Amino acid sequence: MTEKPKIYVTRRVPSPGIELLETECKLTFWDSDDAIPREELLKNITGGYDALFCMLTDIIDKEVLEAAGSTLKVVATMSVGYEHIDLDECRRRDIVVANTPNVSTDSVAELTVSLLLLTSRRLLEGIQAVKSGEWGPWKPMWLCGTEMTNKTIGIYGLGRIGYGVARRLKPFGGKKIIYNDVVKVSYADDIGAEYVSFETLLEEADCICICCNLTPQTKHKFNAAAFKKMKQTAILVNSGRGGVIQHDDLYDALVNKDITAAGLDVTEPEPLPSNHKLVSLNNCIILPHMGSNTWESRNSMSLTTAKNILSVFHKEKVFGEVSNK
Ligand code: DGY
């Protein structure tokens, strides 16, 4: 009898993927809701595993791959982002790398729109005012925000999530939707989104939703120079990756009123320390990276990660393969 393939899972994860894998593989877990410490990963991965089921918090670099040794055939991350994995090193070792595209699109798009409205309508300040007793008689100019109606909606990165955000915002009756990405995309026509240069996006958008991956090209793209070009009334929302924004520059821009407000679901670093200067600002709403936090999304992410692993074992096409890009 041939031995079952061995999989190392770096966290407790939703059951759908685990139940599927258990039908034909032997699983070992880091049995915790918290990230595996690096030294534990380096130690535990040496057990001759065929697959690594990992999270975006696990840095999978040469050292980890070296420790895993030549049995490792696939690194499957339960995330869309895969910037934590050294793709070149995996390719050199013939290790397939796969992510979970598409299955969290709706969840992240819904969160992005929620965060935009939360920020533009100053809802958190309103909730705090009720709780603290600051809410007094009605005042004509208290806690006034910005509407989306008749505004220019900007999207930076019109991939699946950016498209999902734009599609959800379209019924708000904005003047137009503009986007910038590395290339024009044909599906932008479905929602009447117009491709513009990065400069035009900054200058014309009343709100900008950042929905892109972190790459060398997008790293700190939103910096002091960019904020100076944006409208002073603009709202900036980031549900892509924290590193797309230069956070010290964002702080200055918010304090100096170069832009009106920011809503961040992703930060640099994560977690952002509670004493970070951005946390102290009323015009900066920060969430703890909750884009894909729905049961629908997390169950699908777990299942997709499992299917990616099995596809490698079965020598089938791998749905989320990124090592071939
Ligand atoms: C992803 O899948 O990359 C998300 O950021 C996790 O929520």
Side-chain angles (χ1 to χ4, degrees):
M1 200 181 79
T2 50
E3 268 194 33
K4 286 181 169 185
K6 289 166 65 177
I7 304 178
Y8 192 77
V9 185
T10 63
R11 200 80 69 93
R12 284 188 206 129
V13 294
S15 58
I18 299 308
E19 284 164 11
L20 177 67
L21 288 172
E22 276 174 342
T23 59
E24 49 186 292
C25 308
K26 187 170 177 310
L27 272 60
T28 306
F29 292 88
W30 178 250
D31 193 14
S32 169
D33 293 325
D34 296 319
I36 181 168
R38 183 161 173 88
E39 57 281 12
E40 293 292 337
L41 177 61
L42 285 169
K43 193 169 70 192
N44 295 356
I45 195 67
T46 56
Y49 290 99
D50 299 280
L52 177 60
F53 185 132
C54 66
M55 311 293 121
L56 50 81
T57 41
D58 308 318
I59 306 297
I60 310 302
D61 55 9
K62 189 173 177 185
E63 196 182 10
V64 171
L65 298 169
E66 200 77 54
S70 59
T71 53
L72 194 68
K73 298 170 191 64
V74 48
V75 173
T77 181
M78 199 183 103
S79 61
V80 177
Y82 52 87
E83 67 277 358
H84 53 295
I85 303 172
D86 186 335
L87 278 192
D88 288 337
E89 196 56 39
C90 286
R91 284 192 203 103
R92 258 195 290 283
R93 294 164 186 263
D94 269 338
I95 296 171
V96 174
V97 180
N99 71 344
T100 60
N102 227 352
V103 296
S104 54
T105 302
D106 291 324
S107 170
V108 180
E110 283 182 10
L111 185 287
T112 309
V113 173
S114 309
L115 183 54
L116 173 63
L117 298 178
L118 188 70
T119 309
S120 63
R121 296 302 302 271
R122 306 178 61 180
L123 299 183
L124 209 58
E125 288 172 84
I127 294 166
Q128 276 158 359
V130 174
K131 284 185 193 267
S132 68
E134 191 204 328
W135 182 20
W138 189 88
K139 290 184 222 167
M141 290 189 288
W142 188 52
L143 289 185
C144 289
T146 307
E147 318 181 353
M148 291 300 120
T149 315
N150 280 325
K151 295 295 186 324
T152 296
I153 314 267
I155 309 282
Y156 182 60
L158 200 76
R160 291 187 186 91
I161 293 170
Y163 179 81
V165 171
R167 183 168 64 77
R168 283 167 174 81
L169 286 174
K170 194 162 169 67
F172 279 73
K175 188 161 70 182
K176 58 179 173 173
I177 301 176
I178 58 177
Y179 75 99
N180 178 256
D181 205 323
V182 275
V183 285
K184 271 190 196 178
V185 291
S186 59
Y187 50 81
D189 297 343
D190 302 349
I191 45 166
E194 183 191 327
Y195 182 86
V196 294
S197 68
F198 184 62
E199 262 60 41
T200 305
L201 182 83
L202 296 173
E203 286 163 11
E204 291 192 2
D206 294 296
C207 68
I208 298 181
C209 297
I210 301 175
C211 301
C212 63
N213 293 332
L214 182 63
T215 65
Q217 289 73 39
T218 62
K219 174 96 179 156
H220 291 173
K221 188 83 178 171
F222 285 78
N223 52 27
F227 296 131
K228 289 276 179 228
K229 290 184 183 144
M230 287 174 70
K231 293 185 179 178
Q232 285 189 301
T233 49
I235 309 286
L236 180 68
V237 165
N238 189 5
S239 62
R241 281 291 182 262
V244 179
I245 295 180
Q246 214 299 338
H247 283 46
D248 286 332
D249 292 356
L250 175 63
Y251 176 84
D252 292 341
L254 289 169
V255 168
N256 299 332
K257 306 273 183 254
D258 292 332
I259 65 170
T260 288
L264 312 176
D265 182 45
V266 286
T267 57
E268 185 184 62
E270 287 184 12
L272 196 69
S274 59
N275 63 356
H276 190 282
K277 55 189 176 179
L278 278 173
V279 178
S280 67
L281 298 180
N282 271 342
N283 58 347
C284 188
I285 308 286
I286 304 176
L287 299 178
H289 200 148
M290 298 174 68
S292 67
N293 295 31
T294 62
W295 287 115
E296 294 88 342
S297 168
R298 290 288 163 84
N299 285 336
S300 301
M301 288 165 79
S302 165
L303 191 59
T304 303
T305 309
K307 285 182 178 170
N308 283 337
I309 291 174
L310 291 182
S311 298
V312 173
F313 293 163
H314 298 165
K315 301 199 182 337
E316 292 163 358
K317 188 171 163 34
V318 182
F319 166 74
E321 179 163 5
V322 289
S323 40
N324 54 2
K325 289 188 175 153

